[in-house]
Amino acid sequence: MKLFNKKLMFVIASCALAFGSVYAQNTAPAKGSHAQIPCTTCHTQMTPTVAIPTTAQCQQCHGNFAQLAQKTAKLNPRFNPHDSHMGAVDCTTCHAMHKQSNLMCNDCHGFTGNGTEMK
Amino acid sequence: MTDKKLSRRGFLGTALATSTIGFTGIAKAQSNQTQNEKWDKEADVVVLGCGAAGLMSALQAHDGGAKVLIYDKGLSPYQTSTRLNGGLFSACNSRRQKEKGIKDSPENFAQNLMDYGLGLCAAAPVNTFAKNSGQCFDWLEDHGLAAHDLDPYPGHNVLRSIRQKSFSGVDYIDCLTKQLNDRGLTINHDMPLYRIIYDKENNRVLGVECGHKGKTEKIKANKGVVLATGGLTGSTKSVDKWNPLYTASVPIGGPTNDGQAMMIAVRDVGLPLTHMQYFAAYPQAIACGPRRGPMLRFQYLVANGAVLVNKDGKRFVKETEGNTQITPLMLKNPDGCMYVLMNDEIFEKTAKERPFGALVSLPQWDRARWDKEIARGKTIVRANTLDELADKLGINKEGLKKQIQDWNGYCSAQKDPQFGRTKFGIPLDKGPYIAAKTNIWICLSHGGFRVNEKLQPLNWEDKPVEGLYAAGETVGGVHGGAYLGGDACGFAHTSGYVVGRLLTGKEVAL
């Protein structure tokens, strides 16, 4: 009976994920351009326990740290979020797709201006 | 360097040339295990790490005539723990002290360290530090260190700590890197220690392999290798690994300070470690983010009247106690935190007395960032009444009101029957009130190698390993069980100074 329940749950979860994630029902839809792409683009491992995309996953589309650092080199004269003393930080430390993002630099620092108010 | 050059004669020649640094035994031929090493580079001294300890040892060794190569895991000396220092250097018999006619002695300094460190300090490195710290600081002063002055610090029984006007370790790195550039020395960055090449039979380190797997360099060190690779405060993982009490702490440190190099020394040389569970744990982190945030120098607020209370609203300590001695008491509070309670008058007075970046620091805040944190209302709150303040932070209302009523009575009587505080400042009899919640803030680890007075790591049978020196945070036990301010920065520089001089036969006080 227990085994049957687990199997059933898996089938239900799989169906739900195929038609729009069960998580998506409990969270805001993805922001910006990410709303236009299938959930599975980022959430490649569709098990209930592994939901957060890895940095490698993000970088498949967005480029590596060196490329990102170049893009944000002139964002703000006081800091470059992709080239900081913290090194290769996980993307999801700052970037969130289903909730407010948070610039981790300002957990400690007091930077102002461009790049400090994340969506 | 080829293996031919490492013949028995060549090795003996090296041994004789370095006899001044304590290579006392008659060197045997290298063991089979190490004689076939193919070296990519060769130097007299190989320094690992580029904080105060690493750079100071490199400069002293260079000035003593040694060929020096520097390797570092990180990307810049401005990412080391030295950069994150608050600009405080404790030194005994510095020129500054002598000019002011302050009587101090290495024995007195060492005793202060030992007393504050709960009697758990390792005597050998403490003595070496105490005896050479003044001379080391004078060297910095003679080589362009930015403005500074003596500043009293609790735990030191004489005026001996020297504070940078900037309140920032950036001054030391500015000074040391300028000296480095003037001498044409460079740092090989992104080159972490990969392996220590150790001749077990002769108990001697011959060199190191640095870099990443599949892309390493082997560097022969004719006189010695300096392990100045820093401590454990670069990540939450490396702190949590050694001390379960600090798993809610805010560790700051160079991002590469993960203790990996120390563990490589355990693996390759079999060095034992000591004091690994001890950290400089300050009760003053404003945890704005998950285990991230700056440090509030609450002592400045206390000097004007602020009190420290717990979640029950009760004072739990004499607020003027040394800050790292408050830590264990704070950990016993219901939520392991404390609340720095003041009113607008106390806050504004304190904010006017010194730069805002000295009040909230590492990194330094300005007033706007403080106000923003109040607006967020999570770690710092402001309210017109104590009731409202207690609500916002979840502090016990009745407890807090009773405590503050009592405290104001103590202020009138100028007597604190609760904890014996003798300086009262402005009473807390009118709002608006401000409270800042603080957690443990960690900037230094005490754990590392056991060393002798020459700062040579001791092996499993307590014998110094030849050709290897430890400097800075890799030396275990300097600060014992509790950290006394200004000693980490002082020890980092002084240990580097001593090692660099020892490696080139210069005089040091031992």
Side-chain angles (χ1 to χ4, degrees):
Chain A
M1 188 62 191
K2 225 177 180 180
L3 185 69
F4 172 75
N5 274 350
K6 270 191 184 166
K7 273 186 179 170
L8 185 66
M9 286 303 287
F10 181 71
V11 171
I12 291 169
S14 304
C15 291
L17 290 169
F19 295 103
S21 162
V22 279
Y23 311 111
Q25 291 172 10
N26 298 324
T27 54
K31 294 182 289 191
S33 57
H34 289 85
Q36 310 303 320
I37 56 175
C39 306
T40 49
T41 309
C42 303
H43 301 285
T44 50
Q45 295 187 52
M46 300 310 289
T47 65
T49 50
V50 186
I52 300 171
T54 62
T55 292
Q57 192 67 33
C58 301
Q59 291 189 339
Q60 277 188 10
C61 298
H62 295 280
N64 62 25
F65 271 104
Q67 290 163 324
L68 289 164
Q70 224 168 12
K71 277 187 190 172
T72 50
K74 289 179 181 168
L75 178 72
N76 189 308
R78 288 193 62 201
F79 72 102
N80 181 344
H82 298 116
D83 184 14
S84 80
H85 69 86
M86 299 303 287
V89 179
D90 281 344
C91 302
T92 50
T93 309
C94 298
H95 298 278
M97 286 301 111
H98 302 284
K99 60 174 186 179
Q100 172 85 43
S101 294
N102 173 54
L103 181 71
M104 75 175 288
C105 307
N106 265 359
D107 284 343
C108 298
H109 291 275
F111 298 135
T112 53
N114 280 354
T116 58
E117 299 298 331
M118 295 179 75
K119 284 180 187 167
Chain B
M1 185 80 189
T2 64
D3 50 343
K4 263 187 199 167
K5 287 182 187 169
L6 266 180
S7 64
R8 182 187 164 91
R9 179 178 289 183
F11 190 68
L12 277 169
T14 306
L16 289 170
T18 56
S19 60
T20 50
I21 60 165
F23 194 85
T24 48
I26 297 169
K28 288 181 267 180
Q30 261 180 266
S31 66
N32 290 339
Q33 194 192 343
T34 49
Q35 67 185 356
N36 295 324
E37 291 291 347
K38 301 262 193 303
W39 303 99
D40 298 304
K41 285 184 182 166
E42 183 181 0
D44 297 323
V45 176
V46 177
V47 174
L48 305 175
C50 67
L55 294 185
M56 193 54 120
S57 64
L59 289 167
Q60 297 305 323
H62 173 88
D63 289 359
K67 184 190 172 191
V68 180
L69 288 174
I70 310 166
Y71 289 81
D72 176 52
K73 183 177 182 175
L75 303 177
S76 161
Y78 288 92
Q79 294 180 3
T80 62
S81 289
T82 305
R83 165 65 184 87
L84 301 169
N85 180 277
L88 192 73
F89 188 127
S90 297
C92 171
N93 287 337
S94 66
R95 195 184 298 130
R96 289 270 159 166
Q97 269 190 327
K98 289 175 192 161
E99 280 167 4
K100 286 223 168 171
I102 295 158
K103 286 228 157 64
D104 199 1
S105 70
E107 294 72 28
N108 184 34
F109 184 15
Q111 193 59 50
N112 281 183
L113 255 153
M114 195 61 94
D115 290 345
Y116 202 93
L118 313 176
L120 292 169
C121 299
V126 163
N127 289 335
T128 301
F129 172 34
K131 289 175 184 170
N132 294 280
S133 51
Q135 202 184 349
C136 174
F137 188 82
D138 292 349
W139 187 94
L140 282 172
E141 207 170 45
D142 291 338
H143 289 80
L145 182 67
H148 49 263
D149 206 354
L150 287 162
D151 195 16
Y153 202 92
H156 293 283
N157 68 354
V158 295
L159 195 56
R160 74 161 69 92
S161 304
I162 304 168
R163 177 74 81 176
Q164 293 304 114
K165 295 272 183 221
S166 66
F167 275 77
S168 170
V170 76
D171 292 354
Y172 309 117
I173 298 293
D174 281 347
C175 171
L176 296 170
T177 51
K178 180 172 184 307
Q179 294 304 316
L180 210 66
N181 294 338
D182 288 352
R183 289 160 176 76
L185 290 168
T186 54
I187 304 165
N188 296 289
H189 286 297
D190 194 22
M191 291 291 278
L193 175 64
Y194 187 77
R195 185 164 74 101
I196 298 174
I197 297 152
Y198 173 57
D199 179 358
K200 194 174 175 183
E201 210 172 293
N202 292 302
N203 185 33
R204 183 177 177 87
V205 166
L206 305 173
V208 287
E209 189 173 350
C210 292
H212 299 277
K213 194 177 181 182
K215 207 181 161 191
T216 57
E217 270 180 20
K218 274 189 207 165
I219 312 104
K220 182 170 178 280
N222 290 328
K223 290 190 176 180
V225 170
V226 182
L227 272 168
T229 47
L232 309 165
T233 60
S235 79
T236 51
K237 250 188 213 166
S238 49
V239 171
D240 298 358
K241 174 175 160 181
W242 294 101
N243 192 324
L245 281 177
Y246 297 156
T247 49
S249 64
V250 172
I252 70 152
T256 54
N257 290 164
D258 56 4
Q260 190 188 32
M262 282 197 261
M263 297 316 278
I264 288 174
V266 172
R267 181 194 67 193
D268 296 347
V269 190
L271 294 180
L273 298 169
T274 186
H275 289 71
M276 295 305 281
Q277 72 273 40
Y278 294 104
F279 292 82
Y282 292 83
Q284 52 206 103
I286 305 176
C288 307
R291 301 191 68 178
R292 289 192 287 274
M295 172 215 246
L296 174 67
R297 286 202 174 86
F298 63 86
Q299 300 91 331
Y300 297 150
L301 297 159
V302 163
N304 286 326
V307 295
L308 307 177
V309 297
N310 61 20
K311 210 173 168 62
D312 296 332
K314 300 272 183 222
R315 289 173 72 215
F316 63 97
V317 67
K318 182 166 92 173
E319 288 84 352
T320 47
E321 198 66 74
N323 47 11
T324 52
Q325 292 187 334
I326 294 176
T327 304
L329 301 168
M330 178 173 103
L331 277 170
K332 288 182 186 164
N333 283 341
D335 56 358
C337 299
M338 70 178 194
Y339 301 81
V340 184
L341 183 73
M342 67 205 103
N343 60 14
D344 269 11
E345 200 183 341
I346 293 169
F347 176 72
E348 296 301 341
K349 182 169 187 251
T350 313
K352 273 194 199 96
E353 282 171 354
R354 53 189 89 235
F356 206 88
L359 184 59
V360 188
S361 194
L362 307 159
Q364 296 177 337
W365 274 17
D366 55 16
R367 179 65 188 261
R369 181 67 181 84
W370 173 269
D371 290 340
K372 194 176 169 189
E373 199 56 29
I374 288 184
R376 280 180 74 217
K378 287 188 177 167
T379 55
I380 311 169
V381 301
R382 183 167 174 269
N384 286 325
T385 64
L386 287 173
D387 276 316
E388 203 189 322
L389 193 85
D391 272 344
K392 283 186 174 178
L393 281 173
I395 300 174
N396 182 305
K397 257 188 240 184
E398 298 314 314
L400 183 67
K401 283 193 289 188
K402 169 81 170 62
Q403 175 66 77
I404 299 308
Q405 192 185 1
D406 290 350
W407 170 252
N408 288 334
Y410 307 157
C411 288
S412 306
Q414 292 285 294
K415 194 173 164 60
D416 170 20
Q418 235 181 330
F419 294 105
R421 180 167 157 182
T422 53
K423 289 175 184 163
F424 295 87
I426 299 163
L428 289 163
D429 53 2
K430 60 171 187 279
Y433 296 97
I434 300 170
K437 178 181 179 179
T438 65
N439 288 52
I440 288 174
W441 187 90
I442 289 181
C443 63
L444 169 79
S445 49
H446 299 194
F449 309 117
R450 299 173 60 245
V451 298
N452 63 10
E453 298 205 334
K454 290 177 178 172
L455 306 179
Q456 294 173 290
L458 302 174
N459 70 9
W460 68 280
E461 50 183 354
D462 290 341
K463 286 189 178 148
V465 175
E466 299 297 339
L468 188 65
Y469 291 81
E473 252 177 301
T474 58
V475 176
V478 179
H479 314 289
Y483 173 62
L484 175 58
D487 292 343
C489 170
F491 182 74
H493 286 91
T494 307
S495 56
Y497 180 83
V498 165
V499 164
R501 289 175 69 87
L502 278 172
L503 277 162
T504 49
K506 293 270 183 69
E507 195 188 332
V508 290
L510 293 176

